[in-house]
Amino acid sequence: MKSSILIPFSEAGRQLADRLVALGFDADRLAGGDAIDTALLFERYRALVYIGALGICVRHIAPHLQNKKHDPAVINIDVNGRFVQPVAGGHVGGANELAQQLAHLLGATPVITTVSDTTQLWPLDLLPARYGWTMECSGRMTELMARFVNGEPTALLLEARDAGTLFLESDCPPHVTIYHDALRIPVDEVAVVLAVTPRVYDFGRKAVYYRPRMVHLGVGCQRDTPEVELIQVVTDALVAKGFSPLSVASVGTAMLKHDEPALHALAQQLGVPLVPIDETILAGYDTPSPSDRVQQVTGSPSVAEAAAMHLSGNVPAVTKQKLRAGEKHATLALAIDRDRERRGFVEIVGAGPGDPLLVTVRGKMLLQSADLILYAGSLVPVELTRYGKAGCTVRNSAAMDLHEQIATMKAFTDRGLLVVRLHTGDPCIYGAIQEQMAEMDRLGIPYRITPGVSSFQAAAAALQSQFTIPEEVQTIILTRGEGRTPVPEREQLRHLARSQSTMCIFLSATLAGEVQAQLLEHYPAHTPVAICHKLTWKEQQIWRCTLDALAHTIAQHQLTATTLIVVGKAIDNRSGLSKLYDANFKHLFRP
């Protein structure tokens, strides 16, 4: 099925269709009126974009509308390109989203009337496609959606952690209460239960279940195991252990069984890959239920448990289960994906240079979801912590040593809570996160890094400078002077200065005299310098000077901390033309 077709009814409409294609909208174009075969268009295209009067569009499509799950998206645009209106398939068909895209191309007004969009509430039926979940509903979906958009009490159960759950946590409507334990949900007191979970629960006819693919199966079986029987016993065993088959992410087995038809049929039925794993890899796992018999046959003391552990990076949630498929024997184990499991977790977040608006979107969402924000108070403005939700604990780590920081975070992760460790700029640049990660590795605390905007990028923006010059400067050096923290001889400023690149020098305001002396060995004395203090903070100040006045300028303003020194001819430069926008420079997008 093709993507989209533009259907104009007049010469003005055809001109608008041509304009949309010229602007980059990838679609077929059709000219005609009553002769249009609408039934054929419904079969061939995912989206029909009519250009003309809304009434004509409605008369064309009305006889062919059958089911919102299968009908294409239908959009109508007036011939002047002022209004873009979804007519059918707003949510499921994607008409609302497509209308927004077309409106942006035209500078038009999208006319969206779907309640969840106009009220800025979650589109419950679109969440699965957006986040890779599968949806199940224990009642009538339209009725549950109506209750939700009408603001009736709603429980949100989160037993996974991924981009979708992060979005739900950080953008939670006031009539929704978040739970992490199904037993705590007062089912009789809520109108709707939204459950993002791999587990099977019975919340009556008021639940929408979202199934993330986060369960990895390990399966072993005898040769020539019957396919239908294996599928049935594995499915039954999953449900009996409280897991939905819709949450299975992969099926793993020994390489010896890579061609077993029943295992391929099982994976195909579940809609996931079959992953054969070398027996030497499986043998390296310390499993709960090793078997001498399995060792003799496969060379590994475990297949099911070891495969589940290998695929998930986690210990088994269900240890080896012995199954019988017809006359054949099989084994099953499962483990939850370590990266998606709902448990204590540390997210190391780059706060950006200071301005709360310069934290990344993901960083802000994590701050809004965190149970503990541990921030580097000597460098990170406290305003960033105000993104925290009600009940979030905020701690300043400025006076803490490494042991105190780790102990503070562990107290929260041990309770299954989310910790945001908030570092200035981007954590990878002088962020001191390496020793924290080493301790978290030792203690088995899971963590991840969300990058941030560095102060050297904020400096380029504040100076309105591009730190590279075509054919003159193509390198940016991020470094520091040698203070209490030694710098290797090969990285001393006098050596780095040979390239006369744009140099961004961190943590060195108190070393200004030595910095100036080393740089002057290779940079000309008149080289431009920018001294940037508290970039993007309310107290931001920038002084421009030449390299031979660097130490005097810093001493004059008594600068000691939160200061970045930028050196190089790229500062304030406006000379040099790149090839990128040269009319004679041909590339993929401008042949």
Side-chain angles (χ1 to χ4, degrees), residues 91 96 112-127 130-131 144-154 167-168 171-176 192 194 210:
H91 265 170
N96 289 355
I112 310 294
T113 57
T114 310
V115 175
S116 59
D117 288 280
T118 57
T119 57
Q120 301 295 303
L121 290 173
W122 303 328
L124 300 184
D125 52 345
L126 293 188
L127 294 177
R130 185 180 296 176
Y131 297 112
L144 294 177
M145 288 178 64
R147 294 179 189 174
F148 175 72
V149 299
N150 287 334
E152 297 187 41
T154 299
F167 164 72
L168 296 178
D171 189 40
C172 195
H175 67 285
V176 176
V192 183
L194 307 175
Y210 297 105

Side-chain angles (χ1 to χ4, degrees), residues 388-463:
K389 66 186 179 183
C392 174
T393 300
V394 177
R395 293 284 185 269
N396 184 345
S397 66
M400 297 181 182
D401 61 22
L402 177 62
H403 173 76
E404 291 171 311
Q405 293 171 23
I406 297 297
T408 301
M409 293 189 285
K410 189 173 185 298
F412 280 77
T413 59
D414 283 350
R415 292 156 53 199
L417 301 176
L418 173 63
V419 174
V420 166
R421 179 68 175 110
L422 194 61
H423 279 267
T424 185
D426 184 277
C428 78
I429 303 175
Y430 306 116
I433 62 172
Q434 179 173 300
E435 55 261 44
Q436 296 175 61
M437 293 188 293
E439 280 298 291
M440 288 189 280
D441 288 340
R442 184 180 69 81
L443 296 169
I445 300 172
Y447 59 87
R448 186 175 52 195
I449 300 172
T450 292
V453 177
S454 172
S455 57
F456 88 88
Q457 296 165 308
L463 296 169

